Amino acid sequence: MDKLRIMSVFGTRPEAIKMAPLVKELSTREDIESICCVTAQHRQMLDSVLEVFDLKPDWDLDIMTPRQTLSTITSKCLTGMDEAIDTLKPNLILVHGDTSTTFAGALSAFYHQVPVGHVEAGLRTYDKYSPFPEEMNRKLVSAIADLYFCPTINNKNNLLREGITQGLFVTGNTVIDALKTTVREDYHFATEELNHLPYGEKKILLVTCHRRENYGEPMKQIMLALRQIAQEHEDVELVYPVHLSPVVREAVDTYLRGAPRTHLIDPLPADEMHNLMARSYLVLTDSRGLQEEAPALGKPVLVLRRETERPEAVEAGTVRLAGVDQKTIVEMASSLIDSPEAYAEMAHAVNPYGDGHACRRIADAIEWYFGRRQERPADYTGK
Ligand code: UD1
């Protein structure tokens, strides 16, 4: 029997971190040829992940431009994918999450009548414009996909409620698989500055903020809140790896640069980020992946958004929504910085997002779908 050609498509940093362990797992299977196609919606930030996980793309669309719009990303991906699919002839295309790459990858697969597996399926806020455009991207991909790899049972239930009943698997999130390979106690940072932070003496606050729906006034409020937190708490050091988006960089330069004990650094490779998080006191972020990684490391998270599609860690008590209002963010952060009781209540390790075996379950499910394996893989139960 011919090998199954499974093509993983991704283009941004978080997709790459979460797809890397899956591409690797697939390449260990005897009956699978694991192919990797990157759109490079992110160039530098994607390349840094490829390097950390030692991945060599078979196809690179190289679409990124400065201040790219959603339409240019989508149309360039669609056009580029035509040739990739015609040449590589995959039996299944895997897309991840909810970016423009994800949507265009799934749509392109559909145009070529190639089945689609959606990794990290079933997340929802039910607010069409938040996160923007991701909520719509993932809904549109749900309409196209044939296989749904849901991180949690909650995600599967979202799809069931939408009438999607076939091809559902609960696998855990592949980010937990990735985390298991990167975090080490004796880790030495390649970013020299990070080896000299006063871990233990000061409370390290790890910050990220880049989301499109936060552009403008919300981002201003967040930056001013961070500045105030740094000014009012002498026992904290802020570390903020700043996204390469020019819009984000402008906001940081205008409202935050120059705040005391604040380290504005370039985006970090995935392994550096994971290890920095493991040594931090608190995470303030509008990123989605960090909301999954930090709870597994026992780090409290304040989410700089109005809503989240990841309620599991909120329910487990390690993540709280802080919103995008300066006053509320400062109050919530100050309470966690000043009150050991409030901190202890949030700082316990929970793993609602996976047990580190998501990739094995996904690869098994693919083999089962194509009749190469007899047993359907058992769902991840969260225990
Ligand atoms: C994209 C995803 C978002 C994901 C985020 C992670 C969409 C619609 N959004 O948002 O879901 O959470 O990635 O970062 O797909 N840039 C560089 N170098 C890089 C990366 C980006 O210069 O390595 C610049 C680009 O020129 C671009 C800007 O940053 O203009 C924003 O990137 P883009 O992919 O358009 O959106 P993100 O906000 O990163």
Side-chain angles (χ1 to χ4, degrees):
M1 245 193 289
D2 285 347
K3 283 192 177 198
L4 296 168
R5 294 169 73 83
I6 310 297
M7 181 161 107
S8 301
V9 179
F10 50 92
T12 66
R13 176 177 56 181
E15 291 169 284
I17 295 171
K18 291 171 164 190
M19 288 299 266
L22 180 56
V23 172
K24 295 233 148 139
E25 174 68 32
L26 292 170
S27 67
T28 66
R29 305 287 171 121
E30 275 184 7
D31 52 352
I32 288 179
E33 185 184 345
S34 177
I35 313 168
C36 181
C37 167
V38 298
T39 63
Q41 175 178 337
H42 287 175
R43 185 71 273 171
Q44 305 92 316
M45 286 158 68
L46 171 77
D47 290 346
S48 129
V49 183
L50 296 176
E51 198 183 309
V52 169
F53 291 98
D54 194 20
L55 278 187
K56 308 230 171 353
D58 300 279
W59 203 275
D60 192 333
L61 304 185
D62 198 20
I63 65 152
M64 195 189 89
T65 49
R67 291 186 189 258
Q68 56 200 3
T69 66
L70 297 174
S71 309
T72 53
I73 303 173
T74 307
S75 52
K76 282 173 118 183
C77 283
L78 272 178
T79 319
M81 287 287 297
D82 275 345
E83 199 189 338
I85 296 177
D86 283 341
T87 311
L88 299 170
K89 298 189 178 16
N91 298 98
L92 176 75
I93 288 184
L94 293 175
V95 293
H96 180 279
D98 50 22
T99 70
S100 298
T101 288
T102 315
F103 168 55
L107 185 59
S108 186
F110 170 70
Y111 286 162
H112 292 262
Q113 300 192 15
V114 177
V116 174
H118 189 197
V119 182
E120 199 177 269
L123 279 68
R124 295 288 186 270
T125 59
Y126 301 105
D127 178 345
K128 183 172 167 182
Y129 290 109
S130 193
F132 173 80
E134 290 83 0
E135 176 73 1
M136 190 50 68
N137 283 342
R138 53 199 176 207
K139 286 180 99 162
L140 295 169
V141 174
S142 292
I144 294 174
D146 301 271
L147 297 174
Y148 303 83
F149 304 114
C150 308
T152 69
I153 182 78
N154 176 38
N155 304 144
K156 177 180 171 181
N157 288 337
N158 289 343
L159 293 175
L160 288 172
R161 274 195 296 274
E162 291 171 21
I164 297 171
T165 55
Q166 300 294 312
L168 302 174
F169 301 85
V170 183
T171 60
N173 197 306
T174 57
V175 78
I176 307 298
D177 300 28
L179 204 57
K180 288 199 166 177
T181 66
T182 50
V183 176
R184 290 198 312 271
E185 236 167 67
D186 60 349
Y187 186 83
H188 185 84
F189 290 97
T191 315
E192 201 44 40
E193 188 176 354
L194 298 180
N195 292 315
H196 305 296
L197 289 174
Y199 304 106
E201 283 165 45
K202 296 251 164 112
K203 293 168 178 153
I204 309 291
L205 269 48
L206 174 59
V207 178
T208 73
C209 178
H210 73 275
R211 303 213 45 74
R212 272 176 195 264
E213 68 272 14
N214 278 342
Y215 283 4
E217 184 60 24
M219 205 165 273
K220 175 181 173 188
Q221 293 277 318
I222 291 168
M223 296 304 150
L224 292 175
L226 296 171
R227 175 178 278 277
Q228 193 181 342
I229 292 165
Q231 278 167 345
E232 291 178 359
H233 298 274
E234 287 196 359
D235 56 340
V236 307
E237 300 263 332
L238 253 66
V239 185
Y240 180 175
V242 185
H243 192 290
L244 295 176
S245 163
V247 182
V248 176
R249 297 215 145 201
E250 240 166 61
V252 169
D253 287 343
T254 312
Y255 302 111
L256 184 58
R257 192 169 290 285
R261 285 163 280 97
T262 298
H263 308 257
L264 301 173
I265 58 177
D266 278 335
L268 292 173
D271 50 349
E272 301 263 291
M273 189 67 174
H274 290 167
N275 282 282
L276 177 60
M277 205 184 325
R279 287 162 182 70
S280 295
Y281 177 82
L282 171 65
V283 178
L284 293 113
T285 187
D286 68 354
S287 140
R288 284 92 55 76
L290 261 62
Q291 290 177 56
E292 295 155 348
E293 293 160 351
L297 297 171
K299 304 299 170 182
V301 181
L302 293 181
V303 177
L304 307 170
R305 291 171 56 187
R306 293 195 182 90
E307 77 324 282
T308 179
E309 57 288 273
R310 291 167 169 80
E312 294 85 354
V314 177
E315 278 152 28
T318 64
V319 170
R320 278 188 200 148
L321 281 178
V324 292
D325 172 61
Q326 180 180 353
K327 189 163 170 280
T328 318
I329 298 168
V330 172
E331 278 170 9
M332 289 178 79
S334 298
S335 143
L336 289 171
I337 295 164
D338 294 335
S339 157
E341 294 78 29
Y343 184 79
E345 226 175 83
M346 280 186 85
H348 49 270
V350 289
N351 281 320
Y353 300 111
D355 59 358
H357 299 293
C359 296
R360 175 174 55 72
R361 291 190 188 93
I362 294 171
D364 286 354
I366 292 170
E367 289 177 338
W368 177 78
Y369 175 75
F370 284 102
R372 306 287 176 104
R373 167 179 295 270
Q374 294 215 314
E375 302 234 335
R376 195 184 202 278
D379 277 350
Y380 166 62
T381 58
K383 297 195 179 87

Short mmCIF file of all heavy atoms in Angstrom, two decimals, residues 3-51:
data_model
loop_
_atom_site.label_atom_id
_atom_site.label_comp_id
_atom_site.label_asym_id
_atom_site.label_seq_id
_atom_site.Cartn_x
_atom_site.Cartn_y
_atom_site.Cartn_z
N LYS A 3 2.14 5.01 0.82
CA LYS A 3 2.11 5.80 2.05
C LYS A 3 1.06 6.89 1.94
O LYS A 3 0.83 7.42 0.84
CB LYS A 3 3.46 6.45 2.28
CG LYS A 3 4.52 5.49 2.81
CD LYS A 3 5.72 6.28 3.29
CE LYS A 3 6.75 5.34 3.87
NZ LYS A 3 7.72 6.01 4.71
N LEU A 4 0.47 7.26 3.05
CA LEU A 4 -0.47 8.40 3.08
C LEU A 4 0.35 9.68 3.07
O LEU A 4 1.29 9.81 3.87
CB LEU A 4 -1.31 8.37 4.37
CG LEU A 4 -2.24 7.20 4.57
CD1 LEU A 4 -2.75 7.18 6.01
CD2 LEU A 4 -3.40 7.31 3.58
N ARG A 5 -0.02 10.61 2.19
CA ARG A 5 0.70 11.88 2.17
C ARG A 5 -0.10 12.89 2.99
O ARG A 5 -1.17 13.34 2.57
CB ARG A 5 0.88 12.38 0.74
CG ARG A 5 1.79 11.47 -0.09
CD ARG A 5 1.73 11.82 -1.56
NE ARG A 5 2.44 13.06 -1.85
CZ ARG A 5 3.75 13.16 -2.04
NH1 ARG A 5 4.49 12.08 -1.95
NH2 ARG A 5 4.31 14.30 -2.32
N ILE A 6 0.41 13.22 4.16
CA ILE A 6 -0.31 14.12 5.06
C ILE A 6 0.41 15.46 5.06
O ILE A 6 1.57 15.56 5.48
CB ILE A 6 -0.35 13.55 6.51
CG1 ILE A 6 -0.84 12.10 6.51
CG2 ILE A 6 -1.23 14.46 7.39
CD1 ILE A 6 -2.24 11.88 6.01
N MET A 7 -0.28 16.49 4.58
CA MET A 7 0.36 17.80 4.45
C MET A 7 -0.10 18.75 5.56
O MET A 7 -1.27 19.09 5.64
CB MET A 7 0.04 18.41 3.08
CG MET A 7 0.69 19.74 2.86
SD MET A 7 0.73 20.13 1.09
CE MET A 7 -0.48 21.37 0.99
N SER A 8 0.84 19.17 6.40
CA SER A 8 0.54 20.14 7.44
C SER A 8 0.80 21.53 6.90
O SER A 8 1.88 21.79 6.36
CB SER A 8 1.43 19.90 8.67
OG SER A 8 1.23 18.60 9.16
N VAL A 9 -0.18 22.43 7.06
CA VAL A 9 -0.05 23.80 6.55
C VAL A 9 -0.09 24.77 7.74
O VAL A 9 -1.01 24.72 8.55
CB VAL A 9 -1.22 24.14 5.60
CG1 VAL A 9 -1.11 25.58 5.09
CG2 VAL A 9 -1.24 23.18 4.43
N PHE A 10 0.91 25.63 7.83
CA PHE A 10 0.88 26.65 8.87
C PHE A 10 1.72 27.85 8.47
O PHE A 10 2.46 27.78 7.49
CB PHE A 10 1.33 26.10 10.24
CG PHE A 10 2.62 25.34 10.22
CD1 PHE A 10 3.82 26.00 10.46
CD2 PHE A 10 2.65 23.98 9.96
CE1 PHE A 10 5.02 25.30 10.45
CE2 PHE A 10 3.85 23.27 9.94
CZ PHE A 10 5.04 23.94 10.19
N GLY A 11 1.59 28.96 9.21
CA GLY A 11 2.29 30.15 8.73
C GLY A 11 2.70 31.14 9.81
O GLY A 11 3.56 31.98 9.58
N THR A 12 2.05 31.07 10.98
CA THR A 12 2.40 32.02 12.04
C THR A 12 3.17 31.30 13.14
O THR A 12 3.19 30.06 13.18
CB THR A 12 1.13 32.64 12.68
OG1 THR A 12 0.42 31.60 13.36
CG2 THR A 12 0.24 33.29 11.64
N ARG A 13 3.75 32.08 14.03
CA ARG A 13 4.55 31.47 15.09
C ARG A 13 3.76 30.47 15.94
O ARG A 13 4.20 29.34 16.13
CB ARG A 13 5.15 32.57 15.97
CG ARG A 13 5.92 32.01 17.15
CD ARG A 13 6.57 33.09 17.95
NE ARG A 13 5.63 34.07 18.43
CZ ARG A 13 5.96 35.13 19.15
NH1 ARG A 13 7.22 35.36 19.44
NH2 ARG A 13 5.05 35.98 19.56
N PRO A 14 2.57 30.88 16.50
CA PRO A 14 1.90 29.91 17.37
C PRO A 14 1.47 28.63 16.66
O PRO A 14 1.55 27.54 17.24
CB PRO A 14 0.67 30.67 17.89
CG PRO A 14 0.55 31.90 17.08
CD PRO A 14 1.89 32.18 16.48
N GLU A 15 1.05 28.77 15.41
CA GLU A 15 0.69 27.55 14.66
C GLU A 15 1.90 26.63 14.55
O GLU A 15 1.78 25.41 14.68
CB GLU A 15 0.25 27.89 13.24
CG GLU A 15 -1.04 28.61 13.08
CD GLU A 15 -1.17 29.09 11.63
OE1 GLU A 15 -0.51 30.08 11.26
OE2 GLU A 15 -1.90 28.47 10.88
N ALA A 16 3.05 27.22 14.27
CA ALA A 16 4.26 26.41 14.08
C ALA A 16 4.63 25.68 15.36
O ALA A 16 4.98 24.49 15.33
CB ALA A 16 5.41 27.30 13.62
N ILE A 17 4.52 26.38 16.51
CA ILE A 17 4.86 25.74 17.79
C ILE A 17 3.94 24.54 18.02
O ILE A 17 4.37 23.48 18.46
CB ILE A 17 4.73 26.75 18.96
CG1 ILE A 17 5.75 27.87 18.81
CG2 ILE A 17 4.87 26.04 20.31
CD1 ILE A 17 5.57 29.03 19.78
N LYS A 18 2.67 24.73 17.68
CA LYS A 18 1.70 23.69 17.98
C LYS A 18 1.66 22.58 16.92
O LYS A 18 1.19 21.48 17.20
CB LYS A 18 0.32 24.32 18.13
CG LYS A 18 0.23 25.20 19.39
CD LYS A 18 -1.05 25.99 19.42
CE LYS A 18 -1.34 26.55 20.81
NZ LYS A 18 -2.69 27.12 20.88
N MET A 19 2.12 22.87 15.72
CA MET A 19 2.13 21.83 14.67
C MET A 19 3.46 21.07 14.63
O MET A 19 3.51 19.94 14.14
CB MET A 19 1.86 22.46 13.30
CG MET A 19 0.42 22.90 13.11
SD MET A 19 -0.76 21.54 13.22
CE MET A 19 -0.90 21.09 11.49
N ALA A 20 4.52 21.69 15.13
CA ALA A 20 5.84 21.04 15.03
C ALA A 20 5.84 19.63 15.62
O ALA A 20 6.30 18.68 14.96
CB ALA A 20 6.90 21.92 15.69
N PRO A 21 5.33 19.45 16.86
CA PRO A 21 5.38 18.07 17.40
C PRO A 21 4.52 17.09 16.60
O PRO A 21 4.85 15.90 16.53
CB PRO A 21 4.86 18.21 18.83
CG PRO A 21 4.19 19.53 18.91
CD PRO A 21 4.78 20.40 17.83
N LEU A 22 3.48 17.60 15.95
CA LEU A 22 2.61 16.72 15.15
C LEU A 22 3.31 16.31 13.85
O LEU A 22 3.28 15.13 13.46
CB LEU A 22 1.28 17.42 14.86
CG LEU A 22 0.28 16.61 14.03
CD1 LEU A 22 -0.03 15.26 14.68
CD2 LEU A 22 -1.01 17.41 13.84
N VAL A 23 3.95 17.28 13.20
CA VAL A 23 4.70 16.96 11.98
C VAL A 23 5.73 15.87 12.29
O VAL A 23 5.92 14.90 11.55
CB VAL A 23 5.39 18.22 11.41
CG1 VAL A 23 6.32 17.88 10.26
CG2 VAL A 23 4.35 19.25 10.98
N LYS A 24 6.37 16.01 13.46
CA LYS A 24 7.39 15.03 13.86
C LYS A 24 6.76 13.66 14.13
O LYS A 24 7.28 12.64 13.71
CB LYS A 24 8.08 15.51 15.14
CG LYS A 24 8.87 16.77 14.94
CD LYS A 24 10.26 16.59 15.43
CE LYS A 24 11.18 17.42 14.59
NZ LYS A 24 12.20 18.11 15.31
N GLU A 25 5.65 13.67 14.87
CA GLU A 25 4.98 12.39 15.19
C GLU A 25 4.58 11.68 13.90
O GLU A 25 4.79 10.49 13.75
CB GLU A 25 3.74 12.67 16.06
CG GLU A 25 2.87 11.46 16.36
CD GLU A 25 3.53 10.42 17.26
OE1 GLU A 25 4.33 10.81 18.13
OE2 GLU A 25 3.22 9.20 17.09
N LEU A 26 4.02 12.45 12.96
CA LEU A 26 3.58 11.84 11.70
C LEU A 26 4.76 11.23 10.95
O LEU A 26 4.64 10.19 10.32
CB LEU A 26 2.87 12.88 10.82
CG LEU A 26 1.51 13.37 11.34
CD1 LEU A 26 1.03 14.58 10.54
CD2 LEU A 26 0.46 12.26 11.30
N SER A 27 5.91 11.89 11.06
CA SER A 27 7.07 11.39 10.31
C SER A 27 7.64 10.11 10.91
O SER A 27 8.44 9.42 10.27
CB SER A 27 8.15 12.47 10.19
OG SER A 27 8.66 12.73 11.46
N THR A 28 7.22 9.77 12.13
CA THR A 28 7.69 8.50 12.72
C THR A 28 6.82 7.32 12.28
O THR A 28 7.18 6.17 12.53
CB THR A 28 7.67 8.53 14.27
OG1 THR A 28 6.29 8.62 14.69
CG2 THR A 28 8.45 9.70 14.84
N ARG A 29 5.67 7.61 11.66
CA ARG A 29 4.75 6.53 11.28
C ARG A 29 5.16 5.91 9.94
O ARG A 29 5.36 6.64 8.95
CB ARG A 29 3.31 7.06 11.17
CG ARG A 29 2.81 7.75 12.42
CD ARG A 29 2.53 6.75 13.51
NE ARG A 29 2.25 7.38 14.78
CZ ARG A 29 1.10 7.22 15.47
NH1 ARG A 29 0.14 6.48 14.97
NH2 ARG A 29 0.95 7.78 16.65
N GLU A 30 5.21 4.59 9.91
CA GLU A 30 5.71 3.90 8.70
C GLU A 30 4.82 4.10 7.48
O GLU A 30 5.30 4.12 6.36
CB GLU A 30 5.84 2.41 8.99
CG GLU A 30 7.17 2.10 9.63
CD GLU A 30 7.38 0.64 9.86
OE1 GLU A 30 6.56 -0.17 9.40
OE2 GLU A 30 8.38 0.33 10.52
N ASP A 31 3.52 4.24 7.73
CA ASP A 31 2.60 4.32 6.59
C ASP A 31 2.26 5.76 6.20
O ASP A 31 1.35 6.02 5.44
CB ASP A 31 1.30 3.55 6.91
CG ASP A 31 0.70 3.98 8.23
OD1 ASP A 31 1.36 4.76 8.96
OD2 ASP A 31 -0.43 3.57 8.53
N ILE A 32 3.01 6.72 6.78
CA ILE A 32 2.72 8.13 6.49
C ILE A 32 3.95 8.84 5.94
O ILE A 32 5.07 8.66 6.45
CB ILE A 32 2.23 8.85 7.77
CG1 ILE A 32 0.80 8.37 8.11
CG2 ILE A 32 2.25 10.37 7.61
CD1 ILE A 32 0.22 8.98 9.36
N GLU A 33 3.72 9.68 4.92
CA GLU A 33 4.75 10.62 4.49
C GLU A 33 4.31 11.99 4.98
O GLU A 33 3.28 12.50 4.55
CB GLU A 33 4.88 10.59 2.98
CG GLU A 33 6.03 11.45 2.50
CD GLU A 33 6.12 11.52 0.98
OE1 GLU A 33 5.47 10.68 0.30
OE2 GLU A 33 6.80 12.42 0.47
N SER A 34 5.07 12.54 5.91
CA SER A 34 4.68 13.82 6.53
C SER A 34 5.27 14.98 5.73
O SER A 34 6.48 15.13 5.62
CB SER A 34 5.22 13.83 7.98
OG SER A 34 4.94 15.05 8.61
N ILE A 35 4.36 15.79 5.14
CA ILE A 35 4.81 16.91 4.31
C ILE A 35 4.45 18.21 5.02
O ILE A 35 3.41 18.32 5.64
CB ILE A 35 4.10 16.93 2.94
CG1 ILE A 35 4.11 15.55 2.30
CG2 ILE A 35 4.73 17.93 2.00
CD1 ILE A 35 3.18 15.48 1.10
N CYS A 36 5.32 19.20 4.88
CA CYS A 36 5.13 20.44 5.61
C CYS A 36 5.13 21.62 4.63
O CYS A 36 6.09 21.82 3.89
CB CYS A 36 6.31 20.50 6.58
SG CYS A 36 6.34 21.86 7.62
N CYS A 37 4.01 22.36 4.60
CA CYS A 37 3.91 23.52 3.72
C CYS A 37 3.70 24.77 4.57
O CYS A 37 2.73 24.85 5.32
CB CYS A 37 2.73 23.32 2.76
SG CYS A 37 2.26 24.81 1.86
N VAL A 38 4.61 25.71 4.49
CA VAL A 38 4.44 26.95 5.28
C VAL A 38 4.02 28.09 4.35
O VAL A 38 4.51 28.20 3.23
CB VAL A 38 5.70 27.34 6.08
CG1 VAL A 38 6.05 26.27 7.10
CG2 VAL A 38 6.89 27.63 5.19
N THR A 39 3.09 28.92 4.84
CA THR A 39 2.71 30.11 4.07
C THR A 39 3.67 31.25 4.41
O THR A 39 3.80 32.20 3.67
CB THR A 39 1.28 30.57 4.41
OG1 THR A 39 1.23 30.96 5.78
CG2 THR A 39 0.27 29.47 4.14
N ALA A 40 4.31 31.15 5.58
CA ALA A 40 5.17 32.24 6.09
C ALA A 40 4.38 33.55 6.19
O ALA A 40 4.89 34.61 5.83
CB ALA A 40 6.43 32.39 5.27
N GLN A 41 3.15 33.46 6.69
CA GLN A 41 2.40 34.67 7.06
C GLN A 41 3.24 35.50 8.03
O GLN A 41 3.20 36.71 8.04
CB GLN A 41 1.06 34.25 7.69
CG GLN A 41 0.25 35.42 8.20
CD GLN A 41 -1.09 34.98 8.77
OE1 GLN A 41 -1.61 33.93 8.43
NE2 GLN A 41 -1.65 35.79 9.65
N HIS A 42 3.98 34.81 8.88
CA HIS A 42 5.05 35.43 9.68
C HIS A 42 6.37 34.93 9.11
O HIS A 42 6.51 33.72 8.93
CB HIS A 42 4.98 34.98 11.14
CG HIS A 42 3.84 35.59 11.89
ND1 HIS A 42 3.55 35.23 13.17
CD2 HIS A 42 2.95 36.54 11.53
CE1 HIS A 42 2.51 35.94 13.59
NE2 HIS A 42 2.11 36.73 12.62
N ARG A 43 7.33 35.79 8.88
CA ARG A 43 8.59 35.32 8.33
C ARG A 43 9.59 35.03 9.45
O ARG A 43 9.85 33.88 9.78
CB ARG A 43 9.15 36.35 7.33
CG ARG A 43 10.39 35.94 6.59
CD ARG A 43 10.17 34.84 5.53
NE ARG A 43 10.24 33.48 6.04
CZ ARG A 43 9.92 32.42 5.34
NH1 ARG A 43 9.47 32.52 4.11
NH2 ARG A 43 10.02 31.20 5.86
N GLN A 44 10.07 36.11 10.10
CA GLN A 44 11.13 35.90 11.10
C GLN A 44 10.64 35.03 12.25
O GLN A 44 11.33 34.13 12.72
CB GLN A 44 11.63 37.22 11.68
CG GLN A 44 12.10 38.23 10.66
CD GLN A 44 10.98 39.17 10.21
OE1 GLN A 44 9.84 38.77 9.96
NE2 GLN A 44 11.28 40.46 10.11
N MET A 45 9.40 35.31 12.72
CA MET A 45 8.90 34.60 13.91
C MET A 45 8.61 33.14 13.60
O MET A 45 8.71 32.27 14.46
CB MET A 45 7.67 35.33 14.46
CG MET A 45 8.07 36.63 15.18
SD MET A 45 6.75 37.85 15.31
CE MET A 45 5.63 37.08 16.43
N LEU A 46 8.25 32.86 12.37
CA LEU A 46 8.05 31.46 11.96
C LEU A 46 9.40 30.75 11.86
O LEU A 46 9.58 29.64 12.38
CB LEU A 46 7.35 31.40 10.60
CG LEU A 46 7.29 30.01 9.97
CD1 LEU A 46 6.21 29.17 10.63
CD2 LEU A 46 7.02 30.10 8.48
N ASP A 47 10.35 31.40 11.20
CA ASP A 47 11.66 30.77 10.98
C ASP A 47 12.32 30.40 12.30
O ASP A 47 12.99 29.37 12.41
CB ASP A 47 12.56 31.70 10.17
CG ASP A 47 12.07 31.82 8.72
OD1 ASP A 47 11.22 30.99 8.32
OD2 ASP A 47 12.51 32.74 8.02
N SER A 48 12.11 31.25 13.31
CA SER A 48 12.72 30.96 14.61
C SER A 48 12.14 29.67 15.20
O SER A 48 12.87 28.86 15.79
CB SER A 48 12.55 32.17 15.53
OG SER A 48 12.01 31.83 16.75
N VAL A 49 10.85 29.41 14.99
CA VAL A 49 10.26 28.16 15.50
C VAL A 49 10.77 26.96 14.70
O VAL A 49 11.09 25.91 15.26
CB VAL A 49 8.71 28.19 15.43
CG1 VAL A 49 8.13 26.92 16.03
CG2 VAL A 49 8.15 29.41 16.14
N LEU A 50 10.86 27.14 13.39
CA LEU A 50 11.34 26.04 12.54
C LEU A 50 12.73 25.60 12.99
O LEU A 50 13.05 24.41 13.03
CB LEU A 50 11.38 26.46 11.07
CG LEU A 50 10.03 26.81 10.42
CD1 LEU A 50 10.23 27.31 8.99
CD2 LEU A 50 9.08 25.62 10.43
N GLU A 51 13.52 26.60 13.37
CA GLU A 51 14.89 26.31 13.81
C GLU A 51 14.90 25.55 15.14
O GLU A 51 15.57 24.53 15.28
CB GLU A 51 15.66 27.62 13.94
CG GLU A 51 17.15 27.47 13.96
CD GLU A 51 17.82 28.82 14.16
OE1 GLU A 51 17.47 29.77 13.42
OE2 GLU A 51 18.65 28.92 15.07
#
